[in-house]
């Protein structure tokens, strides 16, 4: 994931507070405070000073600040060392750097469209389910 300053087309800057719905076709960087809904067809970057409370649907997500909410990423999620997160992640790829603090469930799809549980169970040898007792 190589998101440079030149590819970010919307910014909520440090000291700014935004509440509401933010639907964007391009990429978004948040260095201020945001609470509401975010959907982007591109990348979402939460900078070190960013404090965000929302569920995120994006192509790529980078978190260096604080997020309370769930992430559904089309390509990948990167939690940088200063990142703090409370919520669930669903993505094909996840990168965690040393220093990250996070709590939630993680589903890594590896780019597969098939149900992750079925992929793992089939790989193990066709067992029915790990949750059922017979």
């Amino acid at each position: 994931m190589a998101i440079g300053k030149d590819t970010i087309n919307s910014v909520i800057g440090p000291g700014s507070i935004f509440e509401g719905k933010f639907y964007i076709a391009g990429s978004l960087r948040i260095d201020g405070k945001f609470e509401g809904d975010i959907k982007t067809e591109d990348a979402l970057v939460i900078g070190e000073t960013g404090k965000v409370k929302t569920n995120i649907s994006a192509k790529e997500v980078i978190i260096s600040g604080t997020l309370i909410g769930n992430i559904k990423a089309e390509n990948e999620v990167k939690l940088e060392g200063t990142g703090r997160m409370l919520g669930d992640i669903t993505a094909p790829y996840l990168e965690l750097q040393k220093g990250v603090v996070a709590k939630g469930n993680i589903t890594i799809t590896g780019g597969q469209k098939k149900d992750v549980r079925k992929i793992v169970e089939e790989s193990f040898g066709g067992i029915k389910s790990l949750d059922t007792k017979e």
Side-chain angles (χ1 to χ4, degrees):
M1 185 179 332
I3 300 173
K5 289 185 179 183
D6 296 337
T7 62
I8 301 291
N9 61 351
S10 295
V11 176
I12 297 174
S16 298
I17 298 173
F18 186 95
E19 291 183 22
K21 296 180 180 182
F22 207 111
Y23 301 150
I24 181 171
S27 57
L28 172 64
R29 180 178 177 96
I30 302 173
D31 291 313
K33 190 171 184 180
F34 177 89
E35 191 168 337
D37 295 326
I38 296 177
K39 288 185 182 166
T40 176
E41 296 173 2
D42 206 342
L44 174 69
V45 177
I46 300 174
E48 283 189 43
T49 57
K51 295 180 184 344
V52 177
K53 188 173 185 180
T54 185
N55 290 324
I56 297 170
S57 176
K59 188 174 188 178
E60 301 171 344
V61 180
I62 298 175
I63 300 175
S64 300
T66 302
L67 171 67
I68 297 175
N70 301 323
I71 299 172
K72 282 191 178 181
E74 204 177 298
N75 288 348
E76 61 184 310
V77 174
K78 180 178 180 183
L79 298 175
E80 296 190 334
T82 54
R84 307 288 180 256
M85 184 182 166
L86 182 61
D88 299 340
I89 298 173
T90 301
Y93 177 78
L94 174 64
E95 180 181 332
L96 297 171
Q97 291 184 353
K98 185 176 181 179
V100 166
V101 174
K103 181 173 175 71
N105 295 309
I106 298 172
T107 302
I108 306 301
T109 64
Q112 302 291 318
K113 301 293 183 200
K114 196 172 184 180
D115 179 63
V116 172
R117 176 179 289 274
K118 287 183 181 181
I119 292 170
V120 175
E121 288 174 347
E122 287 172 2
S123 176
F124 190 77
I127 60 173
K128 287 184 180 179
S129 177
L130 299 175
D131 291 336
T132 60
K133 293 180 182 176
E134 294 189 65

